Amino acid sequence: MDRIAWDQYFMAQSTLLALRSTCTRLMVGATIVRDKRIIAGGYNGSVSGSVHCIEDGCYIVDGHCVRTVHAEANALLQCAKFGVPTDNAEIYVTHFPCLQCAKQIIQSGIKAVYYANDYRNNEYAIQLFKEANVKMTKVELTTMVVDTNAEEKLAYVQSLIQSLEEKGASKEEIDLLKEKGKELFPLR
């Protein structure tokens, strides 16, 4: 078995972090890395101890939810809180950073931004990254070590098998499909 590539490994970490998000509009995760070591991670969510979007809905001002702290900012603040330097580090983010996060990334000394998804890529943020010599690289998660749609896929496969049963498929065919399903979804 081949080892997962570093970019895929760190992007998978950011994808896992995004699963902790409390934002109902967009789940974002960020991982800060220095010398191939994870030094911090963050996801978008409310200020500690405050109400979350998943509890009370988003608090929208001028088309933006102002309740959440962005994933990149949370990761950077974690470094600041615990005295971990970010100079010459890299950040892996599930979505292209917004303008405010871009400015924070630049000010923190991070030298490279890796992102999985384009998301309202702000032209000024791109310009600032270029001026600051911050490398921007799109890294789509191709090694799916975490399947964020596993439940949906399992339900779909189960409905297909049930439909085939109702249409008179043989017991042998159904048993083969169920076995394959157990291989694809071993924890189910």
Side-chain angles (χ1 to χ4, degrees):
M1 178 173 111
D2 291 336
R3 294 172 70 188
I4 187 171
W6 285 114
D7 285 347
Q8 294 295 301
Y9 173 74
F10 296 129
M11 195 58 74
Q13 175 69 30
S14 294
T15 301
L16 275 174
L17 285 162
L19 296 175
R20 289 283 304 154
S21 171
T22 60
C23 180
T24 58
R25 298 176 76 200
L26 184 67
M27 298 170 74
V28 180
T31 304
I32 300 177
V33 175
R34 190 178 51 248
D35 300 324
K36 301 283 186 246
R37 301 287 182 264
I38 296 170
I39 60 173
Y43 53 87
N44 54 331
S46 297
V47 172
S48 296
S50 188
V51 66
H52 295 277
C53 296
I54 58 175
E55 299 163 344
D56 263 10
C58 291
Y59 180 20
I60 306 296
V61 175
D62 295 328
H64 299 280
C65 180
V66 296
R67 179 167 288 166
T68 62
V69 178
H70 289 192
E72 303 93 324
N74 266 326
L76 289 167
L77 290 166
Q78 188 179 99
C79 287
K81 183 176 183 178
F82 295 106
V84 178
T86 55
D87 201 34
N88 291 317
E90 302 170 322
I91 190 166
Y92 288 79
V93 190
T94 56
H95 295 77
F96 192 86
C98 73
L99 177 58
Q100 295 306 315
C101 287
K103 291 190 277 186
Q104 293 168 24
I105 289 166
I106 292 165
Q107 288 299 97
S108 72
I110 287 177
K111 65 180 180 180
V113 174
Y114 299 93
Y115 63 98
N117 301 290
D118 290 302
Y119 183 73
R120 300 180 183 174
N121 299 24
N122 184 286
E123 288 301 318
Y124 187 51
I126 293 168
Q127 177 186 331
L128 289 174
F129 280 143
K130 287 178 181 176
E131 288 173 4
N133 293 316
V134 174
K135 183 172 107 177
M136 297 168 284
T137 306
K138 187 170 185 176
V139 176
E140 294 181 27
L141 189 58
T142 57
T143 304
M144 204 53 203
V145 290
V146 176
D147 189 346
T148 58
N149 297 315
E151 297 289 332
E152 182 181 342
K153 290 176 183 177
L154 175 60
Y156 181 71
V157 168
Q158 288 173 335
S159 71
L160 289 174
I161 292 172
Q162 182 180 356
S163 177
L164 289 171
E165 281 179 309
E166 291 168 1
K167 291 182 176 164
S170 73
K171 182 180 177 348
E172 293 80 27
E173 288 176 302
I174 298 299
D175 288 344
L176 283 172
L177 291 171
K178 286 181 179 178
E179 280 304 310
K180 184 63 178 176
K182 286 179 184 175
E183 289 175 29
L184 292 171
F185 303 100
L187 302 176
R188 306 287 178 226

